[in-house]
């Protein structure tokens, strides 16, 4: 399996992961401070959703990269593919 070559997509994914990392640190702090379990659970759910969203984004970026490269699509077909993949990302985002 190849790596993501689009620098913008990689930066987006890294930023999403850094945000999730910050949320995880916040959860650790909440546990250390003895915060209520319900509050901690809410933050854990938010981190899980953020990671799921990042995974879907990475998958769509990879599919876009591979399909464009392997199918050698022209400009308009490439734009149509982008639209389909954006719709797919939105649909997959609702699965969580």
């Amino acid at each position: 399996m190849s790596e993501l070559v689009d620098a913008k997509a990689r930066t987006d994914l890294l930023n999403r992961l850094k945000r999730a990392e910050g949320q995880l640190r916040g959860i650790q702090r909440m546990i250390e401070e003895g915060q209520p379990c319900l509050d901690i659970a809410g933050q854990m759910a938010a981190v899980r959703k953020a990671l799921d969203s990042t995974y879907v984004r990475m998958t769509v970026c990879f599919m876009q990269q591979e399909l464009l490269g392997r199918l050698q699509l022209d400009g308009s077909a490439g734009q149509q593919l982008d639209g389909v993949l954006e719709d797919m990302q939105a649909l997959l985002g609702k699965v969580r």
Side-chain angles (χ1 to χ4, degrees), residues 4 8 11-12 19-20 28 35 46 60 72 77 79 82 85:
L4 287 175
K8 185 178 176 185
T11 299
D12 176 52
R19 275 194 300 276
Q28 291 170 347
Q35 296 289 322
V60 169
Q72 299 175 349
Q79 289 175 349
D82 288 347
L85 291 175

Side-chain angles (χ1 to χ4, degrees), residues 8 24-25 27 35-36 46 54 57 60 74 79-80 88 90:
K8 185 178 176 185
L24 284 172
R25 276 195 234 103
I27 292 170
Q35 296 289 322
T54 302
R57 182 70 192 130
V60 169
D74 66 8
Q79 289 175 349
Q80 288 177 340
M88 187 181 76

Side-chain angles (χ1 to χ4, degrees), residues 60-96:
V60 169
C61 287
F62 173 76
M63 289 174 61
Q64 179 182 32
Q65 172 183 298
E66 292 301 303
L67 289 171
L68 286 173
R70 292 178 190 200
L71 299 177
Q72 299 175 349
L73 300 174
D74 66 8
S76 64
Q79 289 175 349
Q80 288 177 340
L81 176 63
D82 288 347
V84 169
L85 291 175
E86 286 176 16
D87 291 346
M88 187 181 76
Q89 181 174 326
L91 287 170
L92 290 173
K94 301 203 184 297
V95 171
R96 296 179 233 109

Side-chain angles (χ1 to χ4, degrees), residues 22-75:
Q23 288 176 300
L24 284 172
R25 276 195 234 103
I27 292 170
Q28 291 170 347
R29 193 170 33 258
M30 290 174 76
I31 293 170
E32 290 168 351
E33 294 172 356
Q35 296 289 322
C37 290
L38 192 56
D39 294 347
I40 294 168
Q43 289 303 307
M44 285 183 174
V47 171
R48 288 179 58 199
K49 185 173 181 176
L51 289 174
D52 287 345
S53 174
T54 302
Y55 180 82
V56 168
R57 182 70 192 130
M58 181 200 62
T59 302
V60 169
C61 287
F62 173 76
M63 289 174 61
Q64 179 182 32
Q65 172 183 298
E66 292 301 303
L67 289 171
L68 286 173
R70 292 178 190 200
L71 299 177
Q72 299 175 349
L73 300 174
D74 66 8

